[in-house]
């Protein structure tokens, strides 16, 4: 397949990462999990006692601790410098603060530059909240995934259980709704659908159905 860029945006737990990983695997493309990058900075802020309001301090973390991805037999691993933090960045304390951290312009500026460098070689699937609008506005294919808050909360609850993370369902639902508001109302690169993105509502759809739908979109564009 032609080495195109595929941008997948959407709110928390809309299925972005799962779908992006499958597409990247099927097309033999690079997968870039931008959400994990912002989670990594949030984790580092907690670890090094940097206030979530300290924009300069957070931006400095992005320079001091390069974030990289490595494939393993158990999936993609996330590293901050040489420290493997794949599970650590999925803990509730990180989840609860990542929107505040990712709202800072200087943090986004540094990470967007890193994300664009990863995409320069072509053949990339990147998911996040501002990929089609800010990071890769030139992407050949743009998808915007949505789903109801209830369904997304159920997905996150199940995902947490599988990872051994205990969290109340109503608390997850409230956290998702709060993050939706923060992500869509931030001043820098808010969560919005790109004008040329294809809207896909995943409510009631299986992962396989979502992947098939996106492949149909890709085919319709001649790729």
């Amino acid at each position: 397949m032609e080495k195109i860029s595929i941008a997948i945006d959407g709110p928390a737990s809309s299925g972005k990462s799962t779908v992006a990983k499958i597409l990247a695997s099927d097309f033999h493309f690079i997968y870039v999990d931008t959400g994990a990058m912002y989670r990594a900075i949030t984790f580092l802020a907690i670890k090094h006692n940097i206030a979530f309001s300290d924009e300069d301090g957070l931006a400095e973390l992005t320079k001091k601790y390069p974030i990289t991805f490595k494939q393993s037999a158990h999936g993609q691993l996330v590293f901050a410098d040489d420290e493997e933090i794949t599970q650590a960045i999925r803990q509730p304390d990180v989840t609860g603060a990542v929107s505040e951290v990712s709202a800072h312009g200087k943090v986004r500026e540094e990470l967007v530059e890193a994300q664009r460098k990863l995409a320069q070689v072509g053949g990339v699937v990147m998911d996040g909240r501002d990929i089609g609008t800010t990071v890769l506005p030139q992407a050949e294919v743009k998808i915007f995934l949505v789903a109801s808050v209830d369904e997304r909360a159920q997905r996150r609850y199940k995902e947490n259980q599988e990872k051994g993370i205990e969290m109340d369902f109503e608390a997850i639902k409230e956290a998702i709704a709060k993050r939706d508001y923060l992500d869509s109302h931030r001043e820098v690169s808010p969560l919005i659908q790109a004008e040329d993105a294809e809207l896909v509502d995943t409510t009631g759809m299986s992962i396989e159905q979502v992947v098939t739908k996106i492949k149909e979109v890709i085919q319709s564009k001649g790729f």
Side-chain angles (χ1 to χ4, degrees), residues 14-88:
S14 55
K16 301 185 301 296
S17 296
T18 302
V19 168
K21 289 173 185 175
I22 294 172
L23 289 170
S25 176
D26 288 353
F27 295 144
H28 302 290
F29 280 10
I30 297 168
Y31 168 58
V32 180
D33 183 352
T34 64
M37 298 175 81
Y38 289 101
R39 284 177 172 272
I41 299 305
T42 306
F43 165 80
L44 290 169
I46 295 170
K47 179 178 179 179
H48 297 284
N49 296 312
I50 305 296
F52 301 140
S53 58
D54 183 356
E55 183 172 8
D56 290 332
L58 294 170
E60 190 60 32
L61 289 174
T62 69
K63 301 173 184 177
K64 191 173 181 180
Y65 301 95
I67 301 161
T68 57
F69 302 99
K70 294 180 182 178
Q71 293 297 331
S72 76
H74 304 290
Q76 186 164 264
L77 303 177
V78 185
F79 290 80
D81 205 6
D82 293 326
E83 182 181 5
E84 197 259 299
I85 57 173
T86 310
Q87 292 300 320

Side-chain angles (χ1 to χ4, degrees), residues 86-203:
T86 310
Q87 292 300 320
I89 64 173
R90 300 294 172 183
Q91 298 304 310
D93 56 346
V94 173
T95 298
V98 66
S99 283
E100 184 177 353
V101 170
S102 62
H104 291 296
K106 291 181 180 179
V107 174
R108 301 198 73 84
E109 184 179 328
E110 293 292 336
L111 291 186
V112 165
E113 182 180 350
Q115 291 154 14
R116 286 175 176 161
K117 286 180 179 178
L118 290 170
Q120 282 178 349
V121 295
V124 65
V125 183
M126 192 176 295
D127 74 295
R129 286 165 174 74
D130 63 346
I131 309 306
T133 54
T134 303
V135 183
L136 299 178
Q138 80 287 1
E140 290 86 350
V141 176
K142 299 178 184 179
I143 305 293
F144 194 83
L145 297 184
V146 295
S148 68
V149 172
D150 276 347
E151 177 141 342
R152 287 185 284 136
Q154 287 283 1
R155 293 172 184 171
R156 179 60 60 83
Y157 181 75
K158 182 179 179 181
E159 182 181 275
N160 285 347
Q161 281 191 318
E162 290 173 350
K163 294 178 179 179
I165 302 172
E166 291 298 326
M167 193 171 177
D168 179 70
F169 174 75
E170 289 301 322
I172 293 174
K173 186 175 175 180
E174 183 179 336
I176 286 176
K178 179 182 178 182
R179 186 165 186 192
D180 284 352
Y181 180 84
L182 292 173
D183 287 345
S184 59
H185 286 78
R186 66 186 179 216
E187 291 186 16
V188 182
S189 297
L191 170 66
I192 56 174
Q193 181 180 343
E195 290 184 4
D196 54 347
E198 183 83 15
L199 179 68
V200 177
D201 189 339
T202 68
T203 303

